[in-house]
Amino acid sequence: MRRFFIAVLAAAALIASAQASAYDLRYPPVRWMSDLDRTPHALPVVRHAYDPLDGFLLSAEQDVQAISSFATGLGGASRKHLPGLKVEAIDTNNFDEVADSTWFTNRIGRYGARPDEVADSLSNCSPEAKGALIVSQAVVGKYRPTLLVQDASGNKFAIHLDPPDSPGKISSPATAAALILSNAGFHVAPHCPVTIDRGRLTLADHAHLLGAYGKREELTEEKLSSLLDKQPREMRAVAIRMPEGRPFGRFQFTGRLYSDKNDRMRHQDRRELRGLRVMSSFIGWASISERSTYDVFIETTDSAGYFEHWLLNLTDVEEPGSLPNPIGTGASLLNGAFALMTSLDAFWGTKIVAKYSDSMIEAIVAAARYPDEASAQAAIAGLKSRRDALIRYWFTRLSPLDGFALDPGADGVLLSCNDLATGAGIAEPSQRRYRFQLQSPYGRAILMPWREADACSIGIENDLLNQLRSGRAYELLVQVKDVGAQWWMAAVELAIKSNGDSAIIAGLNRRTR
Amino acid sequence: MRRECRAILIAVLIAVALPAWAMQPPKRAPAPPPQTLPADEPAFRITPPASYTAKRIALFPLEIPGYMLKALLWPVGSTLEWMERNHYSDRVQDAISFKSHKIWIYPVVDKSPGTSFGGGVAVKVIDLFQKGDNINADYRVHVNLDMFADVSFRKDELFHIGGVPVALAFKGNWAKRGSFNFFGVGNNSLESNQSSWAENDLDATVRFGLKPIHTLSLYAILGGSATSTGNASTQGIDPANNPPRGYGRWLQYIRMGGGITHDTRDVTWNPRRGGIHSLEVSRFQYMGTGGNFSYNDYRLLLNQYIPLWSPDHTLMLRNYWWLEQQSSGGLPVPRMTVLDADNWLRGFDQGRFRDRSSVVFNAEYYFPLFRRVRGMMLVDYGRVFNGLSNFTFKDFKYSAGGGFDIELTRVIIARFRAAYGGEGVKFLLTLLRKQP
């Protein structure tokens, strides 16, 4: 019994120690940084032959079955719900932001919406307008054929055809969704709505057809004609430009690829993959799973390189319709990363979603070339309503204060921040109250008691700064509430470091309760 | 005592030293940032924090049961993955549904505790008349020549009343058992008193349902059923020479009644949240001769699905009350409620407990094992009793166990359960099609 007691005590100590070190400032005080995950290593052995268009062979219905089960036993309980044991995403920096990596590169969250550049981003994602398109592979999906073609410049594209009777039904939503995710920062193979003349299609020497049950057979002119028999001469399709590099197969939303030496953390603990749940809710991508993913090996030398992780196929994005479940996609299509999404992950995703202004959404829908004005307007309305639903849900559950900055003031420094809720229009600036408190780590000593303000801005005097020990991190708590509300929202803790008469923000911790 | 002190000291040291270790700046690779990264930002090696590793170590014991189960079922899981990779499940599925997925012909397997092994064939026809209809039929024969057949027909919109669709559901069952277990009546019947009789059952029911709102159904029941028993064994209780009420004759009934169902499940197969709550009241009017065996039948089902830490992990709680209110002639024993492996008390043989009423509480925890394999653990807790006035929360029978469901194809499920209730481990194996 004593031994059992001691073992329990030791485990509790281990957990407590882990918890105590949860808010360490492990990285330099910069909000945007890159992860060194492009270190070259040898190409791993490919265990199973992989066909780039494999994912197109599966239907959305099959995809439900392909969701990986990620956890067994009771361990998941503690990871998600037990206070102190919850595992937050581990690829974030001091400011709760995701470092740029082979998985994700911050774009709209960092640089803001740029509607003018949306149309330009599609300039190089469609095949050459003239010349033959050499078909090297065709896939007979459950509903529609997909062709792998090469244009005159040698670029490869997956051409996914629209239904002959409803052009634009697939290509437009897919293009819009790809633009949204790539502007967010995901590595999405560029999707372009195109119209292709059937006469331009020419068979490659060893073209093959991936038919039912993955059966591989020679692709002949007759088979190609039979595949396209109901299509008009000018076929509407979405052209997906294949990422450069050696195809390596689909990536998993759980676990690690151990042969990838740069893959240092389990995928379900990556914030960008967890937060993708919110973004998939935004674009209406309910059937997201491994079949839509694509790993390529970028060779830097003859024998070495690194992996990049892509989203390849967004052709099953749903047309705008009902409002999303605010916390993510439908319950039946959850993968391991989505299931472990915490409120901080969702907040991170929602911050990005909120960056899609009305004009940005309209520019994206215009670039997606919806077949008629009514469907374009429906798409715009659907995206806006999903965005607003996500914002209303998550910006009212966690403190929506962000974009903190410390600037030199007349007599000390001036702290300012953005209230994302007022920026998104769900709160009235005149009805918001903010308060600030400066304290030593863990609140052992209150250096500046709560001070209230009408704006998210406060001055910290030199006298106060001089009390801070150089190099040590102090906590500045910032809270917000609506006028008349009883309770303040959970605080954002800023780690403040002083160097005499100046100070910097070294990191932040957004409390969830 | 010194040893304990030393251990406590080590624990305290861990508590103090680990945060200090975790606060050390991470060792960073000196390699310069590659050219492909944005040039205006610093590059660092993002690594899991020490707290993450510590938590994983501390929580590892909770993962052990899952890993053990996974190891146990690894051959099944890897075989299924191989099948999936080579599209074998699709081939089978297309073969048994003629590629149209409208007409299905597929095998069924059935092995319950206390019965022999059986198998047969099932047919499902979807939208035969192209009016949203659904027909199911199956036939099973066991090695001891027990035979079973089920037929059902369903049409969700038969006609409309005031804009509200009226659904029709017909269900017919036939069972011919050469040997059906009988242990006596009451909650304390002894296993050693096991005897058996031959039993024939025929049941046909039509339900007309209304759905005034999405989650609520009201329905009327009209049907008939008949049961006959005979050829009892002479071991254990001797029904032949000391016949229970209603034994050795045909018991024929007309059934009339109604019910209400509140269904908030997210999906009908493997729900993850929501529940189904129903109350059904029926009058079984005896139409035979030689006594008045009419009775009223009340069934209350409270079934709730609770998503746990992940939607893949689900807790199912069920409570089922089945009360039979006898008329003056008394309730015939062959028509009494039964609590056994087929009625959610899975650690006991078929026909194990029998009385005028029964109640059972179930808790089932579902969790994923492999892509197409779902594990589960179960606890059953129930008893039979002689009417509500005699009900107490004492003498409940319980069983506990586990099992797994294997999705051989997208629609064909192999289900295995094992449970223990103090009378040996009972196994249940079925091959079935996903049904709501």
Side-chain angles (χ1 to χ4, degrees):
Chain A
M1 191 63 197
R2 279 182 186 170
R3 283 183 187 169
F4 175 74
F5 172 72
I6 290 166
V8 170
L9 191 68
L14 196 65
I15 293 166
S17 62
Q19 185 59 27
S21 59
Y23 304 129
D24 295 337
L25 304 171
R26 305 172 59 233
Y27 299 103
V30 288
R31 189 172 176 192
W32 308 110
M33 59 171 60
S34 294
D35 183 7
L36 285 169
D37 68 345
R38 286 178 166 85
T39 307
H41 59 82
L43 172 68
V45 176
V46 182
R47 284 199 301 167
H48 303 294
Y50 175 73
D51 209 310
L53 296 191
D54 251 2
F56 289 88
L57 196 63
L58 300 168
S59 69
E61 196 183 4
Q62 285 171 303
D63 198 39
V64 177
Q65 304 302 322
I67 300 295
S68 65
S69 55
F70 73 99
T72 55
L74 300 170
S78 53
R79 285 212 301 272
K80 191 74 193 281
H81 290 302
L82 297 185
L85 296 181
K86 186 167 63 179
V87 173
E88 291 291 354
I90 55 174
D91 63 336
T92 54
N93 60 18
N94 296 0
F95 290 84
D96 248 6
E97 296 288 355
V98 172
D100 294 339
S101 68
T102 53
W103 295 84
F104 183 86
T105 305
N106 287 284
R107 293 195 182 102
I108 197 168
R110 180 176 181 181
Y111 302 109
R114 295 178 175 181
D116 303 341
E117 297 177 6
V118 170
D120 295 342
S121 67
L122 295 182
S123 59
N124 66 343
C125 75
S126 53
E128 295 280 348
K130 291 182 180 174
L133 295 173
I134 301 167
V135 181
S136 58
Q137 186 185 344
V139 166
V140 185
K142 279 285 174 182
Y143 308 110
R144 294 170 295 273
T146 305
L147 310 174
L148 186 66
V149 304
Q150 187 169 347
D151 69 1
S153 304
N155 297 317
K156 286 184 178 174
F157 298 87
I159 305 288
H160 191 80
L161 299 171
D162 276 330
D165 51 347
S166 39
K169 185 178 181 182
I170 295 159
S171 56
S172 296
T175 305
L179 281 169
I180 287 171
L181 289 185
S182 62
N183 271 285
F186 290 95
H187 299 159
V188 184
H191 288 49
C192 260
V194 292
T195 304
I196 290 179
D197 183 350
R198 279 177 62 173
R200 292 177 62 198
L201 298 177
T202 310
L203 280 182
D205 284 347
H206 301 290
H208 67 274
L209 172 70
L210 212 55
Y213 316 129
K215 190 178 172 188
R216 199 181 168 100
E217 54 193 72
E218 187 186 354
L219 179 62
T220 59
E221 290 284 359
E222 293 75 30
K223 284 177 185 168
L224 184 62
S225 300
S226 141
L227 277 179
L228 307 176
D229 61 346
K230 290 180 183 168
Q231 291 284 349
R233 183 167 180 85
E234 297 287 323
M235 302 181 297
R236 177 72 190 264
V238 56
I240 304 167
R241 184 169 175 160
M242 303 299 284
E244 291 180 5
R246 187 190 289 252
F248 197 75
R250 299 185 282 274
F251 70 72
Q252 310 278 315
F253 280 88
T254 54
R256 289 167 52 196
L257 180 63
Y258 287 91
S259 53
D260 178 1
K261 303 304 176 195
N262 294 309
D263 196 6
R264 296 184 290 270
M265 52 197 91
R266 298 192 300 178
H267 302 167
Q268 67 265 37
D269 293 328
R270 286 188 165 274
R271 172 152 293 171
E272 60 270 40
L273 293 186
R274 292 182 180 188
L276 180 57
R277 182 177 172 186
V278 166
M279 272 173 263
S280 65
S281 186
F282 175 43
I283 60 177
W285 196 12
S287 56
I288 179 172
S289 80
E290 289 148 12
R291 77 179 182 128
S292 308
T293 66
Y294 189 67
D295 269 359
V296 290
F297 189 78
I298 308 293
E299 288 176 278
T300 50
T301 64
D302 284 346
S303 58
Y306 59 88
F307 280 98
E308 275 187 352
H309 314 281
W310 289 75
L311 297 172
L312 180 68
N313 175 11
L314 279 75
T315 54
D316 48 7
V317 167
E318 291 167 11
E319 296 209 46
S322 57
L323 281 176
N325 170 3
I327 60 166
T329 54
S332 62
L333 288 167
L334 285 172
N335 57 56
F338 285 16
L340 285 178
M341 183 185 78
T342 64
S343 51
L344 286 177
D345 303 319
F347 186 84
W348 175 85
T350 309
K351 272 199 306 184
I352 293 175
V353 169
K355 293 277 188 179
Y356 288 89
S357 59
D358 287 356
S359 58
M360 183 73 176
I361 289 175
E362 285 157 13
I364 285 171
V365 170
R369 286 174 47 198
Y370 276 79
D372 53 66
E373 185 60 23
S375 54
Q377 289 304 321
I380 290 170
L383 287 168
K384 286 179 182 173
S385 66
R386 292 177 191 180
R387 176 199 62 191
D388 294 343
L390 287 163
I391 287 171
R392 269 194 303 275
Y393 188 87
W394 288 111
F395 283 1
T396 53
R397 274 158 182 78
L398 268 68
S399 175
L401 304 181
D402 200 48
F404 293 92
L406 270 182
D407 297 311
D411 181 27
V413 292
L414 183 71
L415 174 82
S416 60
C417 72
N418 296 329
D419 187 342
L420 300 178
T422 58
I426 61 166
E428 189 62 38
S430 62
Q431 297 296 307
R432 299 289 264 185
R433 297 288 293 164
Y434 305 87
R435 67 174 186 176
F436 307 83
Q437 175 175 280
L438 185 63
Q439 61 187 29
S440 62
Y442 304 106
R444 291 188 193 100
I446 308 294
L447 305 175
M448 181 186 80
W450 287 112
R451 288 185 193 172
E452 289 194 24
D454 293 333
C456 191
S457 173
I458 194 169
I460 302 175
E461 302 82 13
N462 279 332
D463 293 347
L464 205 53
L465 290 178
N466 291 335
Q467 293 180 34
L468 310 184
R469 281 171 54 187
S470 181
R472 187 175 179 187
Y474 290 79
E475 290 175 359
L476 180 61
L477 306 185
V478 188
Q479 287 185 311
V480 63
K481 73 167 186 173
D482 280 324
V483 172
Q486 187 178 3
W487 304 102
W488 293 88
M489 295 186 80
V492 180
E493 289 175 8
L494 301 178
I496 303 289
K497 282 188 175 178
S498 165
N499 290 318
D501 55 354
S502 68
I504 59 162
I505 304 173
L508 68 79
N509 170 41
R510 194 177 303 277
R511 289 185 184 172
T512 55
R513 63 186 71 182
Chain B
M1 192 61 195
R2 282 182 64 187
R3 217 190 282 168
E4 283 80 3
C5 286
R6 199 183 305 157
I8 290 172
L9 188 65
I10 291 170
V12 171
L13 279 175
I14 290 172
V16 173
L18 209 65
W21 169 54
M23 288 176 78
Q24 293 290 322
K27 292 174 184 171
R28 297 183 185 108
Q35 291 177 345
T36 45
L37 293 176
D40 58 341
E41 63 187 31
F44 296 91
R45 199 175 172 83
I46 306 292
T47 52
S51 59
Y52 174 81
T53 311
K55 278 181 189 174
R56 285 199 64 188
I57 294 169
L59 299 176
F60 182 73
L62 294 174
E63 305 273 4
I64 290 174
Y67 282 118
M68 287 171 64
L69 265 175
K70 213 163 182 168
L72 198 68
L73 290 172
W74 178 81
V76 176
S78 51
T79 304
L80 289 168
E81 281 185 17
W82 175 81
M83 284 174 62
E84 188 180 321
R85 203 162 48 240
N86 291 285
H87 303 272
Y88 281 114
S89 59
D90 291 338
R91 290 167 198 254
V92 171
Q93 188 162 297
D94 286 348
I96 63 177
S97 65
F98 304 100
K99 287 195 175 181
S100 68
H101 297 187
K102 294 275 186 184
I103 300 174
W104 297 74
I105 299 177
Y106 55 96
V108 285
V109 172
D110 181 15
K111 170 71 182 85
S112 294
T115 66
S116 59
F117 188 83
V121 65
V123 178
K124 182 181 181 73
V125 183
I126 300 167
D127 212 13
L128 178 66
F129 305 112
Q130 298 181 338
K131 291 186 175 176
D133 47 276
N134 203 327
I135 302 169
N136 288 287
D138 72 71
Y139 171 77
R140 308 183 306 279
V141 59
H142 285 229
V143 292
N144 64 354
L145 298 183
D146 285 358
M147 287 181 277
F148 304 87
D150 303 310
V151 180
S152 66
F153 172 81
R154 182 183 178 89
K155 191 172 185 325
D156 286 337
E157 294 189 17
L158 189 65
F159 55 88
H160 289 74
I161 297 179
V164 179
V166 176
L168 166 73
F170 166 79
K171 199 169 185 181
N173 309 99
W174 171 70
K176 179 180 179 300
R177 296 182 179 94
S179 166
F180 191 73
N181 291 330
F182 178 60
F183 295 84
V185 176
N187 197 45
N188 294 316
S189 58
L190 298 175
E191 189 187 14
S192 57
N193 281 341
Q194 180 181 4
S195 60
S196 63
W197 62 45
E199 184 173 313
N200 293 308
D201 290 296
L202 190 61
D203 186 83
T205 313
V206 178
R207 286 177 168 81
F208 293 95
L210 275 174
K211 257 192 175 180
I213 57 174
H214 177 60
T215 56
L216 194 69
S217 302
L218 304 168
Y219 55 90
I221 306 169
L222 185 64
S225 67
T227 302
S228 81
T229 47
N231 294 333
S233 71
T234 54
Q235 294 176 335
I237 292 177
D238 187 356
N241 294 315
N242 184 18
R245 186 186 303 116
Y247 170 79
R249 65 164 74 199
W250 272 99
L251 300 164
Q252 296 149 334
Y253 292 91
I254 284 184
R255 181 183 182 188
M256 292 163 291
I260 181 168
T261 299
H262 180 232
D263 188 352
T264 57
R265 294 173 296 174
D266 55 349
V267 288
T268 50
W269 180 257
N270 287 348
R272 294 186 173 115
R273 62 178 69 241
I276 181 163
H277 320 105
S278 70
L279 173 66
E280 198 171 281
V281 180
S282 301
R283 170 70 178 173
F284 282 84
Q285 185 65 42
Y286 184 64
M287 301 302 290
T289 56
N292 179 13
F293 294 127
S294 300
Y295 63 94
N296 297 326
D297 180 292
Y298 308 93
R299 302 177 194 191
L300 174 67
L301 172 68
L302 303 170
N303 200 344
Q304 193 66 33
Y305 295 87
I306 301 165
L308 298 179
W309 36 90
S310 146
D312 289 340
H313 293 246
T314 308
L315 178 68
M316 192 281 293
L317 300 175
R318 183 194 297 121
N319 177 213
Y320 186 59
W321 295 81
W322 186 359
L323 312 175
E324 290 180 345
Q325 181 189 31
Q326 64 189 13
S327 61
S328 57
L331 189 67
V333 172
R335 301 288 297 189
M336 283 181 170
T337 67
V338 174
L339 216 50
D340 60 6
D342 290 339
N343 293 283
W344 297 329
L345 195 61
R346 283 158 282 197
F348 295 92
D349 276 346
Q350 191 181 56
R352 180 64 185 84
F353 298 106
R354 183 187 292 263
D355 209 331
R356 283 170 48 199
S357 305
S358 66
V359 58
V360 66
F361 298 87
N362 306 102
E364 296 177 4
Y365 162 54
Y366 292 92
F367 54 93
L369 283 171
F370 294 95
R371 282 190 177 190
R372 289 172 179 265
V373 185
R374 192 169 76 137
M376 64 91 69
M377 291 189 280
L378 62 92
V379 177
D380 304 329
Y381 190 66
R383 65 163 295 175
V384 294
F385 51 98
N386 184 21
L388 272 180
S389 56
N390 297 315
F391 174 74
T392 67
F393 276 100
K394 295 176 182 172
D395 294 332
F396 266 73
K397 309 297 176 190
Y398 55 86
S399 60
F404 48 87
D405 295 343
I406 303 171
E407 289 190 7
L408 296 175
T409 74
R410 272 184 289 142
V411 290
I412 307 293
I413 307 291
R415 171 170 289 173
F416 175 79
R417 300 281 185 270
Y420 178 75
E423 296 180 0
V425 179
K426 308 297 179 188
F427 297 98
L428 189 144
L429 173 67
T430 42
L431 188 66
L432 70 163
R433 190 183 189 279
K434 283 182 184 176
Q435 299 283 1

